[in-house]
Amino acid sequence: MKNEVTRGSYRQQPLRRVPIPKKSGGTRPLSIPAVRDRVLQTAVELVLTPLFEAQFEDCSFAYRRGRSVQQAVARVERLRDQGYRWVVDADIYTFSTKSTINC
């Protein structure tokens, strides 16, 4: 697998699709990657996460390990209690790395 990744010829194995029963009836599909794909995904995550974490602002909570919705809500409540009254939610399509964000 290492040689395939280095040469750029690595290809993901097909996902295994398993129907999972829903309480309300019916099923929902669950896609399970092959073990070799999970190993590679984990290795990539171990390398990339510290690089990205160093770039994230402390006020960012979404999709970050060790951060939860409850922590985000607690942060907003603390800021509210400190007198802040405005909340800005932005979905930024294009963002310059030279911009500065203060949370």
Side-chain angles (χ1 to χ4, degrees):
M1 179 169 54
K2 178 183 176 184
N3 290 335
E4 293 175 59
V5 171
T6 328
R7 287 192 312 257
S9 62
Y10 178 85
R11 297 294 175 260
Q12 176 182 329
Q13 298 293 304
L15 296 170
R16 179 176 171 207
R17 300 280 292 201
V18 178
I20 303 296
K22 294 166 66 174
K23 288 182 182 178
S24 60
T27 60
R28 69 172 182 85
L30 177 66
S31 299
I32 305 170
V35 172
R36 69 181 239 145
D37 296 327
R38 287 290 297 137
V39 168
L40 182 59
Q41 291 168 5
T42 301
V44 169
E45 189 260 342
L46 288 171
V47 171
L48 293 182
T49 295
L51 301 175
F52 284 111
E53 282 294 324
Q55 300 297 316
F56 289 147
E57 294 289 335
D58 187 52
C59 59
S60 172
F61 285 84
Y63 305 104
R64 292 177 68 187
R65 183 168 296 197
R67 294 184 176 231
S68 66
V69 170
Q70 293 81 7
Q71 289 172 319
V73 169
R75 176 75 172 269
V76 170
E77 288 173 343
R78 277 195 309 277
L79 292 169
R80 179 202 60 207
D81 295 345
Q82 292 173 12
Y84 290 91
R85 294 291 174 248
W86 290 87
V87 174
V88 177
D89 181 16
D91 185 0
I92 301 171
Y93 182 77
T94 304
F95 180 76
S96 168
T97 57
K98 295 179 182 177
S99 296
T100 302
I101 297 176
N102 296 312
C103 301

